[in-house]
Each structure stands twice: as structure tokens, then as C-alpha cells.
Amino acid sequence: MKDVNVGICGLGTVGGGTFNVLTRNAKLIAGRAGCNIRIVRVASRRQRDDIDLGGIPFTSDVFDVVNDDSVDVVIELIGGYDAARELVMSAIRKGKHVVTANKALIAVHGNEIFEAAEKAGVIVAYEAGVAGGIPVIKSVREGMAANRIDWIAGIINGTGNYILTEMRAGREFSEVLKEAQDLGYAEADPTFDVEGVDAAHKLTILAAAGFGVPLQFERAYTEGISRITPYDIAHAELLGYRIKHLGIARRRDEGIELRVHPTLVPRSHLIAQVDGVLNAVLVDGDAVGQTMYYGPGAGDEATASAVIADIVDVARSVAANSSQRVPYLGFYPSAMENLPVLDMEDIQSAYYLRIQALDRPGVLAKISSVLSEHGINIESIMQKESELKDGRIPVIILTHTVQERQMNRAIEELEALADIEGQVTRIRAENFN
Ligand code: HSE
């Protein structure tokens, strides 16, 4: 079989890692691919002194890679939306396969990209875009092909998980974020990490591949971790929960829930033990039950591991010379469903509430009566005399599952009570049932 020639676009964290691993493990990768994977061109805005390209032509224009007739596979590792989209679309037009780690690109422009790729008969592979080095796309799309996938829930942003983990030890948000940036985990714009945009990109892709629906990033609900306080982290722990920033996609008869937000998870659940920059994705299938995929969600060689697995897939598929390839989103287009993404008010969740109450007789009765009028069942309630200050005391409540619409109305009424001060803090909770 002929060698497969690849051109690497972007020599940042992931590009550098990909170059190094492809070079270092060339022999064993060739053994798996059934052919040599040759890097024939590298393009990046800036050259890296720490990487010895060994004479491979380097250019500062990524389009040189697309225009190089010897390149079979374009490896897009430049990130961002517009230039990456142009690069990928022009590679497809030239009949080249594409491997990308760009979750933003796939989540936002994936429908268009896959349609063009289908017409051109080329592969667009994106494993590295979701949960870094964890082969979760392959698991959902191929490994779970027998199942109706009912829900997916994951810690899919390493930077955010690193920050929440370190905050448990009492460290400052900004200091930890800076550390994550220095380690190369954070996005170019770190608000994408802490406000949940990056996780929403990844969740959008997971949901599409899991449920067989088009990519619908614009419908994803996104809430970040910047308002999480050490107080809530500590009180969640007292209730037996840990706060994690989760992406949750749930299939319901009327549509799918697609949401990223801080979430209380039971401390006894495996996912609560996932700390630092590590990621984990839970996938529940009707046949297999709950499965969990765990590992590094960011980092140079960890992400390169997924990029190169995709290159090997491309090489094998090209060798098989078959037009029946693994479909981009796991389902052939004719079998895709048009399930809508539900409005956030229609999702169902349990809730942690923190209410700043005046220390007067009857306050708890008023709070519980508002909740019960909205059909909200209290699971636990906590009020500590030691936290009484200036006649005010926090009341912490954990509820059973209820529709978000009911909770919104109850919170409005609670905030209107004369005995309640300020806004009610609400964090959703998940028991993975
Ligand atoms: N910024 C991302 C993260 C990188 O922290 O998870 C991997 O997608």
C-alpha cells in the first residue's frame, strides 16, 4: 500500500505534540496503519525552535498545505472559526481528507462541512476535538453502535475542572486559571473554558454523534463556573455532593436536553473523583447501561494521540477503498432524526438552592410552602446557627427532580418574600438515574 502523506497546519500545543508523536512512534503507527504516515509539509504562523523538523518543508501559509498535490490528509490544528473553516472547505474541495482537533469548527460549521465532505467522498475526522486524548467519539459512534443512547454527561473541559479542583483546596480562581494557561490547557480565549462555551462545543458534537441529530450548538444552554463560591463548594460537600462543570445531553421523547452548567454530583459517584485537568464522559446506552470514559482532556501529546488515531483510521479506510465509510456523525444522513433541542425551561433537574433568609419565626415555613405550591419536593434542608450574622442566615436546600419552569417560578416568588434577601443561588444537581 502506498504511503499516506499528511500536512500539519498549526504548530501550537497540539500541532507540536502531533509532530513529535508521529515522528517518535512512526514505526509502530505504520504497523497499525498498514502503511507509512509521512509528514510532507508543516505550516504555522510561527516556527518553533524546540521542534526539529528534520528537513520537512516549513511554510508560514497553511494554504500551502492544501495546495500541495502530494498531501493526502490535511491536519487542521490552527483552531478558531473562519480561517479554519476556509482551510477545511478548500481541502475538501481539493479531494483531501481532513483530521481536525477543532471542536468550535465542528460544533458550529460541522453540518455544512460534513455535507461537502460527503459529496467529495472524503473523510473529516474530529476525535481530538472532544475530550482530548479520550477516544470517546469512537466509543459512542462505533463501540456503542448497538445502543439507543439515552444520556451523556461529562466533564469535558480540563481547564474548568482544574480550577474547580484547586478551589476545593481554597485557592483563588484567577491564580489557578493563570496556571492552567501556562500549562497549555486553556483556549486562546480562556472565557471559552470558564463560561462553558468550549464544553458546549464538545457536548454538541457528542449529542449529535450519540443521538443521530444534526449539530445544534446555537441551541445549547451554557453557564460557566465563575460564580461558584468556596461556600457553595463546601456546603455541597456537606450534603454529600461535589460541584463539577458538566455537559449534559439527555434524550427525551419530545426532544433533547443540551446544557452545560455547574452541577452537584454525588460524591460517591466515580465522576466526582475526576480531578485536575482530567476529563470523563458518562454514556448511558439501553443495552450496555452506564459506561465511563476517563483520561486527559487536554495537553499536547494526549490530544495528539487522538489526532493520530484519526490519521490511522483514514489510512485504513483509504486502503479498504470502500465508499461505505463510518458516517461522520455515526448515523447515515437518511437515518438522522430531527429531534429539537428543548428550551431550558423544559429540562428536568434536581436543584441546590442557597437562600439568604432573615432569622425570623416562620421563614422556613414560608420557603417550604412556596416550594410545595410549585410541586417541588425537598430532599434535604440545612441551616446552621453558627452562620447567623446580622440577623441573616443562609438556608441550603436540595430538591428532588422538577421541571426547570417550576423552579424558575418558585425562585421568583422566593425572591419576592420580605424575609429573603438578594437573589437565590441555584445550582443544578444530577444523580445519573
Ligand atoms: N481548553 C480545553 C480544555 C482544551 O481545557 O479542556 C482541550 O479541548
Side-chain angles (χ1 to χ4, degrees), residues 110-347:
N111 295 324
E112 169 202 13
I113 288 171
F114 295 143
E115 201 186 319
E118 172 91 33
K119 282 198 189 115
V122 297
I123 299 168
V124 174
Y126 52 88
E127 176 71 73
V130 182
I134 308 173
V136 66
I137 293 298
K138 195 173 269 298
S139 302
V140 165
R141 197 176 57 181
E142 284 130 274
M144 293 187 71
N147 292 261
R148 185 195 64 230
I149 292 178
D150 291 325
W151 56 262
I152 300 171
I155 297 171
I156 42 181
N157 182 269
T159 303
N161 199 42
Y162 188 75
I163 293 173
L164 283 180
T165 303
E166 294 294 317
M167 279 177 75
R168 276 207 325 269
R171 293 184 65 197
E172 281 296 319
F173 181 90
S174 52
E175 175 198 325
V176 186
L177 173 59
K178 168 84 177 48
E179 201 170 279
Q181 285 176 290
D182 291 346
L183 289 165
Y185 301 148
E187 295 304 297
D189 177 354
T191 58
F192 272 39
D193 295 297
V194 295
E195 296 307 336
V197 179
D198 177 71
H201 286 145
K202 295 165 180 165
L203 183 70
T204 298
I205 300 171
L206 278 171
F211 303 144
V213 296
L215 296 148
Q216 300 168 74
F217 170 70
E218 65 293 346
R219 296 281 298 139
Y221 171 81
T222 305
E223 185 183 311
I225 56 170
S226 51
R227 279 179 304 181
I228 295 296
T229 63
Y231 182 96
D232 291 319
I233 291 176
H235 282 73
E237 298 270 331
L238 287 175
L239 289 166
Y241 287 81
R242 183 150 290 165
I243 299 181
K244 289 290 180 190
H245 200 195
L246 288 196
I248 300 176
R250 191 181 290 276
R251 184 194 184 101
R252 305 233 314 264
D253 290 343
E254 56 278 33
I256 60 171
E257 298 182 1
L258 195 62
R259 48 193 172 99
V260 174
H261 49 71
T263 311
L264 271 71
V265 300
R267 275 176 67 189
S268 56
H269 196 286
L270 259 184
I271 204 160
Q273 316 307 321
V274 176
D275 279 339
V277 73
L278 290 161
N279 282 195
V281 185
L282 284 163
V283 185
D284 186 275
D286 68 335
V288 68
Q290 249 180 60
T291 60
M292 187 166 110
Y293 308 90
Y294 167 81
D300 52 5
E301 294 205 354
T303 310
S305 165
V307 170
I308 297 166
D310 274 348
I311 300 173
V312 170
D313 267 356
V314 172
R316 287 173 176 162
S317 177
V318 169
N321 199 17
S322 160
S323 58
Q324 280 294 85
R325 298 204 168 115
V326 177
Y328 305 98
L329 288 171
F331 289 75
Y332 288 100
S334 57
M336 303 258 292
E337 288 189 68
N338 244 331
L339 273 182
V341 175
L342 298 173
D343 287 338
M344 200 53 193
E345 286 225 304
D346 291 322
I347 71 125

Side-chain angles (χ1 to χ4, degrees), residues 382-396:
M382 184 166 62
Q383 191 189 43
K384 291 200 283 178
E385 194 58 28
S386 58
E387 292 178 351
L388 176 66
K389 207 173 155 214
D390 302 329
R392 291 157 181 84
I393 190 159
V395 178
I396 309 285

